[in-house]
Amino acid sequence: MLKVGVLGAGHLGKIHLRLLQQSEKYELVGFYDENQEYAQKISKEFGYTNFNTIAKLIHAVDVIDIVTPTLSHYKCARAAIKSGKHVFIEKPISNTIEEAEEIIALANEYNVKGQVGHVERFNPAFIATKNMIENPMFIETHRLAEFNPRGTDVPVVLDLMIHDIDVILSVVKSKVKNISASGVSVISDTPDIANARIEFENGCVANLTSSRISMKNMRKTRFFQKDAYISVDFLEKKCEVVKMKDAPEVPGDFDMILQNAEGVKKQIYFSNPEVQQNNAILDELETFADAIVNNTTPIVTLDQATEALRVAHQIIACFKK
């Protein structure tokens, strides 16, 4: 079992602590939170060992799980990596591209592994359909959330949209060619609702909408490709696949047949791939343990997370224009 310590015991940090304590791949050594009065309360309530400095916790473990506010990700990762510890960093990887690139350089220099918490890659509905997504040419995403003051320290792009950016970059095997976007600040100092259009060199276009001031929660992505339409509901953990195939010579009574203007007939198939329920946060943490033990590449690499951050910052730059 890998010895692990958690930096940050806020809302998400407490979830990580609980799951790491349950995990059979990690031994939870303890945690550090800069608010020591709060940390002692958490320690007393749940029985986790509270360390009073970051350095002491880093020294006691093999892996550091960074669940602090984004602004401190770089500082925490730097201290852990320079001590030769593997790092799991909650998304986004850091506040700036420069910080993210230095985290990559340090991880290479000190020969440690890093993974970033882009948890939607472990969403069971996405896992169920991932292998069916082949060369999509149009992607549409809606990630809408009810207002929660907890995330307003960063623009909605870094808070919500970055999940969809990462998912899209993981399935589109092409470089980004052009980005256009608009955003509106309604409650916060930074945009609360945003729309972005990402064009790729291979012709694929992705249209992303994110809002943190909606009346209801929604996390849906639709992938359109030749002869198929794939819908993934990340919130409800459901998926649907609609496929088109050449129509049979003699269709059955219940076959759904479409005929275009040229007279070409296609048969439509509907399927709902089986979704294996899981705990996505536990899965991302445990696959990172596997990558360390087996010396394999983590599922969400530091480089991939940096690329998602780069695109997010390009979108934010469009707002300033």
Side-chain angles (χ1 to χ4, degrees), residues 3 13 29 36 41 43 68 81 102 116 124 132 151 169 179 212 233 251 256 272 305 317-318:
K3 291 183 176 176
V29 172
Q36 275 297 297
K41 180 170 160 270
S43 177
T68 58
I81 293 168
E102 187 162 339
V116 177
M132 300 174 196
L169 293 179
I179 292 174
R212 58 183 174 206
D233 189 327
M256 190 178 282
N272 296 93
C318 290

Side-chain angles (χ1 to χ4, degrees), residues 10-30:
H11 173 74
L12 193 54
K14 283 196 290 189
I15 294 171
H16 279 230
L17 282 164
R18 176 172 56 80
L19 293 172
L20 288 167
Q21 191 168 46
Q22 290 172 8
S23 173
E24 293 177 3
K25 301 194 177 189
Y26 289 103
E27 177 195 334
L28 177 62
V29 172

Side-chain angles (χ1 to χ4, degrees), residues 13 22 30 34 40-41 54 76 79 85 135 139 152 173 180 185 196-197 205 246 300 305 315:
Q22 290 172 8
E34 66 177 8
Q40 282 161 14
K41 180 170 160 270
I54 288 181
C76 295
K85 312 299 178 175
N135 199 28
I139 302 169
T152 54
K173 306 304 178 199
S180 53
S185 303
R197 178 184 166 93
V205 172
D246 290 332
V300 184
I315 290 168

Side-chain angles (χ1 to χ4, degrees), residues 16 34 41 45 48 50-51 57 59 69 113 127 136 147 192 206 242 247 256 274 299 307 318:
H16 279 230
E34 66 177 8
K41 180 170 160 270
E45 188 176 344
Y48 309 130
N50 169 36
F51 283 72
L57 179 61
H59 182 70
K113 292 195 183 293
I127 291 168
F147 184 71
D192 296 301
V242 182
M256 190 178 282
E274 188 182 347
I299 289 175
E307 203 48 45
C318 290

Side-chain angles (χ1 to χ4, degrees), residues 142-157:
H142 288 89
R143 185 169 292 263
L144 316 177
E146 294 171 12
F147 184 71
N148 179 350
R150 198 164 48 82
T152 54
D153 55 331
V154 291
V156 70
V157 175

Side-chain angles (χ1 to χ4, degrees), residues 162-177:
I162 196 159
H163 282 295
D164 299 311
I165 294 168
D166 173 69
V167 165
I168 288 167
L169 293 179
S170 77
V171 297
V172 179
K173 306 304 178 199
S174 178
K175 288 185 176 169
V176 172
K177 185 174 86 172

